[in-house]
């Protein structure tokens, strides 16, 4: 009984962190029931995660941008434009895919740093600076694709980034062995990270949950990872898109939770003036966050272009709004200083699950937009109410 009471207290006190997981769980159960299990089929889950990939990558960067109290409206068309440049390098310039990808990522960093200079050094509000960038990249995308309208990419290596799967090595009862091993490694890394974090908190006399609740949390999350792995291993295994998302999450989670840079980012978001007085270079942090956002926009453009196997004039449309929605649904605070990389990924999956489930049910696109808008409004209302309560 004490364990149940402690679990309730834990969820109540950390509702911002756990609310998104509960919402995703409810969405999955609802659509699974309404589609007679089709929603949780191996093929559908694989397609859902792949379709969420380019938005999930953007949402990670957008989360950090919002954490430091800014916004970036240029990332959608920046992703579309950089994806088109990648297509041109591959098809018209004959550049190798192994050269094209680093070049596009570096161009993305340059774009992000330019935004950072406009905002941090010149003092232009981020909304205005990135709105200008959005219009510029929209025009640039139309300019580079106006001759053909669509640039078809026939490079199998590049296209595999958006449509390919990791090799299976061996199949065990119809399950891809390598995907199972990746899932197992993910579970072990998660358990190790949580145990290490708990030990450090105990070492410095921070409050931690009881061992039964901690063990229950480890079991629950590990079971979810294992189940998703089992579902995907029964189809084609992990796609390269999912592997890229996982790498982005691991790197950014480490940077934001285990490094001085991460602490400085959240310090700037919590109170820029106090951070400046304490010796933190606020301008430098702004450059880094926007440079990172530009790189992730480039990666998003690569994922989207590879998935379509072409660059189109409409690439990047509304990407920035989907990324912002995913960040807010994932728990980032509109007041800055609060938000997790893992939450951004969950937010992207929540929004993708809503679209996917409604498509399976044949819900009209007009209702889909209204429902997704309602979910976003609900997430922001939830953020405001929890801050007031605190």
């Amino acid at each position: 009984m004490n364990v149940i009471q402690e679990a309730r207290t834990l969820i109540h006190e950390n509702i911002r962190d756990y609310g998104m997981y509960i919402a995703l769980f409810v969405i999955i159960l609802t659509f699974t029931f309404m589609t007679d299990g089709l929603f949780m089929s191996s093929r559908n889950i694989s397609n859902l995660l792949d379709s969420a990939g380019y938005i999930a990558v953007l949402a990670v960067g957008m989360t950090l941008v919002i954490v430091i109290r800014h916004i970036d409206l240029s990332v959608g068309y920046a992703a579309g434009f950089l994806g088109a440049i990648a297509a041109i390098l591959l098809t018209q310039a004959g550049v190798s895919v192994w050269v094209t990808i680093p070049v596009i990522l570096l161009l993305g960093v340059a774009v992000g740093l330019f935004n950072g200079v406009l905002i941090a050094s010149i003092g232009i509000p981020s909304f205005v600076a990135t709105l200008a960038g959005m219009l510029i990249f929209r025009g640039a995308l139309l300019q580079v694709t106006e001759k053909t309208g669509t640039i078809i990419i026939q490079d199998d290596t590049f296209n595999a980034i958006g449509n390919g799967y990791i090799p299976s090595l061996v199949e065990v009862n119809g399950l891809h062995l390598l995907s199972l091993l990746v899932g197992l490694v993910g579970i072990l890394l998660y358990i190790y990270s949580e145990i290490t974090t708990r030990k450090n908190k105990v070492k410095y006399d921070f409050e931690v949950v009881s061992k039964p609740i901690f063990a229950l949390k480890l079991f629950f999350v590990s079971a979810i990872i294992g189940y998703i792995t089992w579902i995907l291993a029964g189809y084609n295994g992990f796609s390269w898109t999912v592997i890229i998302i996982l790498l982005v999450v691991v790197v950014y989670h480490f940077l934001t939770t285990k490094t001085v840079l991460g602490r400085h980012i959240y310090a700037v978001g919590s109170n820029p003036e106090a951070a400046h007085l304490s010796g933190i270079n606020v301008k430098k942090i702004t450059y880094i966050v926007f440079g990172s956002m530009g790189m992730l926009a480039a990666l998003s453009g690569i994922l989207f272009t590879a998935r379509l196997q072409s660059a189109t004039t409409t690439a990047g449309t509304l990407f920035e709004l989907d990324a912002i929605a995913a960040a807010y649904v994932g728990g980032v605070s509109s007041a800055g200083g609060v938000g997790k990389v893992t939450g951004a990924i969950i937010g992207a999956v929540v929004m993708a699950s809503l679209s996917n489930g409604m498509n399976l049910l044949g819900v009209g696109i007009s209702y889909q937009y209204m429902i997704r808008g309602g979910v976003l409004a609900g997430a922001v209302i939830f953020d405001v109410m929890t801050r007031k309560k605190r």
Side-chain angles (χ1 to χ4, degrees):
M1 192 67 181
N2 290 333
V3 173
I4 295 175
Q5 185 62 38
E6 185 180 355
R8 288 177 178 174
T9 303
L10 179 67
I11 293 174
H12 180 72
E13 292 179 351
N14 299 274
I15 189 64
R16 177 189 291 277
D17 295 331
Y18 294 114
M20 70 192 89
Y21 295 97
I22 295 172
L24 179 59
F25 186 67
V26 170
I27 289 170
I28 290 174
L29 280 182
T30 301
F31 283 131
T32 300
F33 174 76
M34 295 180 71
T35 60
D36 295 327
L38 179 61
F39 181 81
M40 284 300 291
S41 65
S42 298
R43 180 186 294 272
N44 190 62
I45 291 298
S46 180
N47 289 335
L48 188 155
L49 293 176
D50 286 348
S51 65
Y54 59 93
I55 296 301
V57 168
L58 280 181
V60 169
M62 191 64 71
T63 293
L64 297 186
V65 170
I66 297 174
V67 161
I68 64 169
R69 303 188 180 190
H70 290 296
I71 200 72
D72 193 341
L73 300 178
S74 68
V75 294
Y77 284 120
F81 171 70
L82 292 170
I85 295 298
I88 291 172
L89 291 176
L90 290 168
T91 60
Q92 299 176 18
V95 180
S96 165
V97 65
W98 305 111
V99 175
T100 297
I101 292 175
V103 167
I104 296 302
L105 293 178
L106 287 174
L107 284 175
V109 172
V111 167
L113 288 175
F114 180 72
N115 283 334
V117 169
L118 292 178
I119 295 161
S121 296
I122 300 178
I124 301 175
S126 58
F127 183 91
V128 177
T130 58
L131 177 60
M134 180 178 75
L135 297 174
I136 291 170
F137 288 120
R138 174 60 172 153
L141 174 61
L142 292 174
Q143 177 65 33
V144 298
T145 58
E146 68 176 353
K147 292 182 180 179
T148 58
T150 300
I151 304 173
I152 305 297
I153 301 173
Q154 296 180 338
D155 189 301
D156 293 337
T157 303
F158 183 82
N159 291 337
I161 296 173
N163 299 281
Y165 299 85
I166 64 175
S168 62
L169 298 182
V170 179
E171 289 194 12
V172 181
N173 294 326
L175 301 175
H176 290 237
L177 178 61
L178 184 56
S179 294
L180 292 175
L181 292 176
V182 170
L184 178 61
V185 170
I187 291 172
L188 294 176
L189 286 175
Y190 167 74
I191 293 174
Y192 172 77
S193 174
E194 288 295 316
I195 291 176
T196 303
T197 301
R198 179 183 172 86
K199 284 183 178 179
N200 288 334
K201 287 184 177 181
V202 170
K203 180 180 177 180
Y204 294 105
D205 295 325
F206 287 120
E207 185 179 354
V208 295
V209 298
S210 65
K211 288 184 178 179
I213 291 295
F214 181 69
L216 184 63
K217 177 185 175 182
L218 291 182
F219 173 78
F220 184 70
V221 175
S222 299
I224 291 175
I225 297 173
Y227 183 61
I228 296 297
T229 299
W230 178 73
I231 288 177
L232 294 178
Y235 180 51
N236 284 324
F238 282 104
S239 67
W240 287 114
T241 296
V242 172
I243 295 298
I244 290 170
I245 294 171
L246 292 176
L247 289 174
V248 169
V249 171
V250 169
V251 171
Y252 275 82
H253 179 69
F254 175 79
L255 288 175
T256 54
T257 60
K258 306 293 184 182
T259 66
V260 173
L261 173 62
R263 289 193 288 273
H264 285 181
I265 288 172
Y266 285 97
V268 170
S270 297
N271 193 323
E273 292 78 14
H276 175 71
L277 292 174
S278 65
I280 297 174
N281 190 331
V282 177
K283 285 186 178 180
K284 180 182 176 182
I285 295 299
T286 305
Y287 296 153
I288 291 173
V289 170
F290 274 92
S292 166
M293 181 74 261
M295 183 189 70
L296 291 177
L299 179 57
S300 175
I302 290 171
L303 289 174
F304 184 75
T305 305
R307 182 167 174 78
L308 290 186
Q309 301 183 25
S310 63
T312 67
T313 57
T314 58
T317 304
L318 297 182
F319 282 16
E320 67 284 345
L321 300 186
D322 287 336
I324 292 169
Y328 276 115
V329 171
V332 72
S333 174
S334 55
V338 176
K340 293 183 178 179
V341 168
T342 49
I345 299 297
I346 297 299
V349 173
V350 166
M351 300 304 286
S353 297
L354 282 172
S355 297
N356 181 275
M358 288 188 289
N359 284 332
L360 291 177
L361 293 172
V363 177
I365 191 69
S366 58
Y367 291 106
Q368 289 193 31
Y369 277 118
M370 288 188 281
I371 291 171
R372 291 169 63 190
V375 170
L376 174 58
V380 177
I381 292 170
F382 179 76
D383 166 50
V384 173
M385 296 303 292
T386 52
R387 279 192 288 114
K388 282 184 177 180
K389 196 169 184 180
R390 290 180 181 179

